[in-house]
Amino acid sequence: HVQLVESGGGSVQAGGSLTLSCTASGSYGWTYNTVCMGWFRQVPGKEREAVAVIDSDDTTSYADSVRGRFTSSRDNTKKILTLRMEDLKVEDTAMYYCAGRYARSCDGGASAFHYWGQGTQVTVS
């Protein structure tokens, strides 16, 4: 059983920065450095959308709305996924989720991911 725990959310003014972290733990049926990891966000009434996904080769893809402002990275030794968010906008306000997919690639949307954290709220005003 894999557990993903997010931290680092909070409230910030527009133009500010936040860094989210996601720590993986538990018994793995997969090896952390061989799977796709990603960040998603969701606001009430809308579908969960991908923000950034990193495949097992460390190739990262970003949503158009955050490209150039957000940077995601993974530490395979510590099993930590990080999302650095800069120049935050009001429209970035959402619950942010860490997710893992039991595959090397990150093809597919949220439904392709097998493990999810509880989420951390980011509010930009």
Side-chain angles (χ1 to χ4, degrees), residues 34-97:
T34 67
V35 302
C36 164
M37 296 295 297
W39 289 100
F40 291 76
R41 66 186 181 186
Q42 188 171 25
V43 297
K46 292 189 176 181
E47 290 187 358
R48 194 168 295 190
E49 64 172 355
V51 175
V53 294
I54 305 179
D55 67 19
S56 61
D57 293 329
D58 244 4
T59 300
T60 307
S61 299
Y62 296 96
D64 290 342
S65 58
V66 306
R67 188 175 293 113
R69 299 187 297 119
F70 290 13
T71 303
S72 189
S73 61
R74 61 192 295 170
D75 183 328
N76 291 328
T77 300
K78 298 180 179 179
K79 300 180 178 62
I80 295 176
L81 182 71
T82 301
L83 182 68
R84 174 65 177 172
M85 305 183 293
E86 298 180 336
D87 189 22
L88 282 160
K89 305 178 185 300
V90 172
E91 51 265 40
D92 294 319
T93 296
M95 184 71 78
Y96 283 71
Y97 297 90

